[in-house]
Amino acid sequence: MKPTLPQSSSDNLAQALRQPISPDWLARPSTEVAPDLLGCTLVRQVESGQTYRGLIVETEAYAPGDPACHAYRRPTKRNQVMFGAAGMTYVYLIYGMYHCLNVVTDLDGVPSAVLIRALELEAISPWSDRQKERKLSRVAAGPGKLCRAFNINLSLSAQPLLPGQPLWLEHRSPEFEEQWKQGAIAFVQTTRIGLTQGTDIPWRWYVKDCPSVSKP
DNA sequence: TTGAGGATTTCG
DNA sequence: GAAATCCTCAAT
């Protein structure tokens, strides 16, 4: 039942040019980082050394003073990584069956994070039929689904996002940046999803007209 | 120690 | 519309 994922090819030149995102770049308010992460790449490296990549197309910010933030009240065993320095993962279990991946942001001592809500996976091959591609485009459309697709669980929480680790991030490709500047790619900012508190705060961003977004 | 509830997904 | 399913944390 587990979907087959596209495997990254190491001889792709454009991919080789992508630069890893450093913790410094993430040491800003989550409301700044969240939209900036759109178009960046999440990389998953499994034990065999094989890597999988997904384009980040939907994010949400969580910040201090935000009642929906898991770190709203006090540091606990679960959320303590959110209080620490930027560049760490924060993974939690939701509804007893799904995991959600966050990137810890802002300065040490400021509890905040960005929830990665959806990835666009690269096509399996140029020869894959349209039906297959459409299915694949929804494989990581949602925070629980992307963790299932990339085999992300609680053991990957509080880990550094650095190359060689199980997870890391890469900057936008020059092609994405160019298309975004030209207006060919646009972002939408709106309210967050699935919350009981802080429902009116517009801290969700996604790539407009992207089929891999959880709820356009 | 307890139990209510949750940053979701899927199926009917 | 509601079930699945279990960890977390505030309140006993």
Side-chain angles (χ1 to χ4, degrees), chain A residues 13 35 37 57 69 83 91 101 104 110 113 133-134 138 145 149 157 176-177 202 213:
Chain A
L13 181 61
L37 276 177
V57 295
C69 182
F83 288 80
V91 180
L101 171 67
V104 175
V110 180
E133 282 183 9
R134 209 151 64 90
R138 302 292 301 170
K145 293 172 77 175
S157 191
F176 186 98
E177 199 77 52
V213 165

Side-chain angles (χ1 to χ4, degrees), chain A residues 79-208:
Chain A
N79 69 22
Q80 64 177 355
V81 67
M82 289 180 73
F83 288 80
M88 302 289 282
T89 60
Y90 166 55
V91 180
Y92 66 90
L93 180 70
I94 187 68
Y95 299 115
M97 61 188 81
Y98 295 105
H99 298 278
C100 293
L101 171 67
N102 294 256
V103 174
V104 175
T105 55
D106 219 315
L107 303 179
D108 196 355
V110 180
S112 67
V114 171
L115 171 68
I116 309 297
R117 283 195 58 90
L119 303 175
E120 180 176 271
L121 303 183
E122 296 163 18
I124 288 179
S125 79
W127 304 282
S128 61
D129 58 87
R130 181 184 286 184
Q131 193 84 307
K132 203 171 184 179
E133 282 183 9
R134 209 151 64 90
K135 228 176 182 178
L136 182 66
S137 75
R138 302 292 301 170
V139 163
K145 293 172 77 175
L146 77 87
C147 284
R148 187 179 57 188
F150 273 15
N151 195 24
I152 295 168
N153 55 43
L154 293 182
S155 73
L156 295 189
S157 191
Q159 304 298 310
L161 285 155
L162 294 171
Q165 295 289 320
L167 291 166
W168 70 89
L169 299 164
E170 289 172 352
H171 283 290
R172 290 172 186 165
S173 68
E175 292 78 15
F176 186 98
E177 199 77 52
E178 189 61 27
Q179 290 193 45
W180 180 61
K181 282 176 182 169
Q182 290 178 358
I185 296 174
F187 299 162
V188 176
Q189 178 178 4
T190 182
T191 50
R192 297 172 295 183
I193 287 182
L195 307 177
T196 55
Q197 301 180 75
T199 53
D200 53 335
I201 304 176
W203 284 355
R204 173 175 173 244
W205 290 265
Y206 64 86
V207 177
K208 191 178 181 184

